[in-house]
Amino acid sequence: MLEKTIKLNLTRFDEYKNVFGARKIHSLWNEFLAQSVKNWQDIEKSDWEGNRLIFHSWRSSSQVFGMDDFSAICLVIEDRIIRHRFKDLDKLVAQSQDVFEESVKQVIDAFSKMEPEND
């Protein structure tokens, strides 16, 4: 269960949407979601270094969609792996999945409010 309210950074989301355009940001979102499905599966069977790479990648790619809370927890996980601080890390990874899922809902909501692109 989440201890704090997850809030999408709509300013960042809009900045990237304006840079890429609505069609491209939708395409990037679909790629992000597809890769995320694979990442969650890989986390369960990967070693810590493999997981560090997953969270490192997620840390930056999630920011494109304003998922700052998820990005922040990815940074903490990545840092703990680098520093070999594995105690309760599995719980933090589970918490990150909750943050991810809530963030995804909010991004989907933001997309639903987006003006259709005319091109």
Side-chain angles (χ1 to χ4, degrees), residues 62-74:
S62 63
Q63 287 184 335
V64 171
F65 307 104
M67 298 169 67
D68 289 359
D69 292 323
F70 180 65
S71 178
I73 200 167
C74 288

Side-chain angles (χ1 to χ4, degrees), residues 40 43 47-63 69-94 96:
W40 286 118
I43 283 171
D47 61 9
W48 283 117
E49 178 57 20
N51 287 344
R52 185 194 68 76
L53 293 172
I54 289 170
F55 283 99
H56 175 80
S57 175
W58 259 335
R59 180 172 50 89
S60 58
S61 60
S62 63
Q63 287 184 335
D69 292 323
F70 180 65
S71 178
I73 200 167
C74 288
L75 177 61
V76 171
I77 291 168
E78 181 184 10
D79 183 64
R80 288 198 41 197
I81 293 170
I82 289 169
R83 298 176 189 281
H84 300 280
R85 295 185 179 152
F86 301 114
K87 184 176 188 244
D88 295 327
L89 192 52
D90 54 337
K91 292 177 186 173
L92 190 58
V93 169
S96 76

